[in-house]
Amino acid sequence: MAALIAALMLLPIAAIVFLAASSDFAAISHLAATVLPGAAARTFWLLLANALVTAIVGVTTAYLVATYEFPFRRLLSAALVLPLAMPIYLSAYAFGEFFDFTGPVQTLYRSLFGYTSAREYAFPDIRSLGGVVLVMASVLYPYVYLTARSVFAMQGRNAADVARTLGASRFRVLRAVQLPMARPAIVVGLTLVMMESLNDIGAVQYLGVNTLTFSIYETWLNRGDLAGAAQLSAIMLIFVLALIATERLARRNQRYATAGTAGEARRAVRQRLAGARGAAATLACILPVLVGFVIPAGVLFEFALKRLDDFFSERLLGALMTSITVAALAALCAIGFGLALAFAVRSRGTRASRGLARLATLGYGVPGTVLAIGVLIPLAALDNGFDGLMRATFGISTGLVLTGSGFAIVYACTVRFLAMAEGNIDSGFAKLSPNLDNAARTLGRTPGRALFSVLLPNMQPALATAALLVFIETLKELSATILLRPFNFNTLATLVYEDASRAQVESASVPAIIIIAAGLVPVLMVSRSMDRRA
């Protein structure tokens, strides 16, 4: 079973590699001479700038929250996670309006200095590489914040106190002791930041920055060159696999970063910052929350308040029902596959079962645009083959059963988010003693009966969490959905995308608010979990 699941999850990647290798290289040669150099350079600088900004913001806020006591520290420690509820494309749409000529920033700027026309002054353009970095980094820094904060809290007092007794300043302790110990965890966070940066298509398209991801989209849809898009996707896959390898190597080394025990972490006393230092620490933690969540959510919420009737429109309700259906089916599939993989690892514990589980969850690092191509190729072949068989045998046409329905989207989201389900279920299994399995076996239960009668009743919180995470991530997914959806098939994400593409961000605000509200659920779960551990 585990081998079959791994094969299904790896099929889109294999399809991309096969089509890229078997196609004529004239298309990629033309792209390499025209589109590829510029897109690759912009992608490189985008990833580098995102990594730098998120590292600075994430590590700084994590260090302040874990080490010092300052005004509103407890509230801000939870609020710093809020930008994770904001999809990148929604933040781009909101910032586009916020910094537009008619937006509040330029309007205030003109009123302060007496300008009446845009030709009278220079103002940074949000529709630029710098604007994309601002949007992405403000939303993605919590990945670094969460991993760095956990490590800083787990380090406890010992290492830092020993360094202080040797005369080192707090800054030197941070630079020479704490940051090197936290480096593996920070690398994990930065890897996730870069994966999410590669996955985005809505923000880069709206802000006019042609990255590799957008080049794949444009090559496929605008130029009608599926083979060229597959070859570009294969190039991106190499980089993605390198990122995944880096992340897993960092996770393996992360055990060296948490030298302290939980008891030591609890005994650690935060240094109280008062006066100007306390105000500076509070401001340093407030700014990322303002830029990453409050401003974009406020812009969209203000627009939504002007269009309350849209909450009951037929168009929105249809997209909402479609989103719920697709997300529920993807969650069910991911839970089923994740449970089978995690149970195979638990019951067998062999290197082969662990290897299959890792292979099956590789899809979490594949950008949605790339994954859409990999899903379309085999499903289109199956559709055409089955239709041809039915025509030849019965003289009837079945049409596009798989690619003409939401099946392709469910499949793509299952491949992409299976890692979330499998990881949560595996963590749930880890909390159950192996003695439960052994006791059930001594009472004559088969492994399957022991799973359903003994283990699963104790796994309900882990299963519910896994299902919720996959459901909400599918609800927010845009990159794969926009490419795989049939005609007249809209989810909340594609509804937002369509309106924003027509420069109707106000119309897009109502479904956007629903997406943000749904995204807040797992974010608040993470915040509560961190508070309990603290």
Side-chain angles (χ1 to χ4, degrees), residues 41 45 117 125 168 187-188 223 228 230 236 259 341 351 438-439 456 461 465 486:
W45 289 115
S117 169
D125 188 5
V187 171
V188 170
R223 297 193 177 104
M236 185 177 283
L341 292 170
R351 182 176 297 180
N438 298 333
L456 285 186
T465 301

Side-chain angles (χ1 to χ4, degrees), residues 266-279:
R266 283 193 296 268
R267 290 192 299 268
V269 178
R270 299 185 188 93
Q271 179 183 357
R272 182 170 294 277
L273 296 178
R277 289 186 176 184

Side-chain angles (χ1 to χ4, degrees), residues 230-316:
Q231 289 167 343
L232 283 176
S233 299
I235 294 172
M236 185 177 283
L237 274 177
I238 297 173
F239 186 69
V240 167
L241 290 175
L243 285 178
I244 293 174
T246 302
E247 183 220 14
R248 291 196 167 165
L249 180 63
R251 286 188 188 275
R252 185 185 306 169
N253 293 336
Q254 197 170 354
R255 60 182 179 270
Y256 301 112
T258 57
T261 65
E264 290 169 349
R266 283 193 296 268
R267 290 192 299 268
V269 178
R270 299 185 188 93
Q271 179 183 357
R272 182 170 294 277
L273 296 178
R277 289 186 176 184
T282 302
L283 181 62
C285 293
I286 285 178
L287 285 177
V289 180
L290 286 176
V291 178
F293 183 78
V294 175
I295 290 176
V299 170
L300 294 172
F301 186 73
E302 181 185 3
F303 287 158
L305 285 178
K306 300 175 183 177
R307 308 182 68 92
L308 293 178
D309 291 342
D310 287 359
F311 279 97
F312 305 99
S313 68
E314 184 178 347
R315 181 169 175 255
L316 177 67

Side-chain angles (χ1 to χ4, degrees), residues 81 96 122 166 185 243 274-275 284 291 305 308 330 397 408 432-433 444 465-466 490 504:
V81 189
L166 296 175
L243 285 178
V291 178
L305 285 178
L308 293 178
S397 173
L432 301 180
S433 171
T465 301
N490 263 328
Q504 297 176 355

Side-chain angles (χ1 to χ4, degrees), residues 147-236:
T147 54
R149 178 187 166 183
S150 297
V151 174
F152 286 143
M154 286 294 293
Q155 285 174 353
R157 302 179 54 177
N158 288 352
D161 284 353
V162 168
R164 291 297 301 277
T165 59
L166 296 175
S169 64
R170 285 193 175 271
F171 177 76
R172 188 175 180 185
V173 171
L174 172 66
R175 179 178 58 83
V177 178
Q178 292 176 290
L179 281 180
M181 293 172 68
R183 188 181 297 122
I186 295 171
V187 171
V188 170
L190 290 176
T191 305
L192 294 173
V193 167
M194 287 189 278
M195 287 181 181
E196 289 298 321
S197 300
L198 283 176
N199 178 61
D200 174 75
I201 189 172
V204 295
Q205 182 181 13
Y206 185 74
L207 298 179
V209 177
N210 189 354
T211 61
L212 275 176
T213 306
F214 181 71
S215 296
I216 294 170
Y217 172 85
E218 189 177 41
T219 301
W220 180 5
L221 291 189
N222 296 346
R223 297 193 177 104
D225 186 2
L226 182 59
Q231 289 167 343
L232 283 176
S233 299
I235 294 172
M236 185 177 283

Side-chain angles (χ1 to χ4, degrees), residues 351-427:
R351 182 176 297 180
S353 61
R354 288 192 292 269
L356 288 172
R358 287 186 178 183
L359 287 174
T361 55
L362 280 178
Y364 83 98
V366 181
T369 309
V370 175
L371 195 60
I373 294 175
V375 166
L376 180 70
I377 295 168
L379 293 190
L382 285 173
D383 265 342
N384 292 329
F386 184 70
D387 183 64
L389 177 65
M390 294 299 289
R391 284 174 181 271
T393 307
F394 302 104
I396 59 173
S397 173
T398 59
L400 303 177
V401 177
L402 301 178
T403 55
S405 64
F407 179 85
I409 301 174
V410 173
Y411 181 28
C413 290
T414 302
V415 174
R416 180 157 167 74
F417 303 126
L418 177 61
M420 289 183 175
E422 192 273 339
N424 277 278
I425 294 171
D426 186 61
S427 298

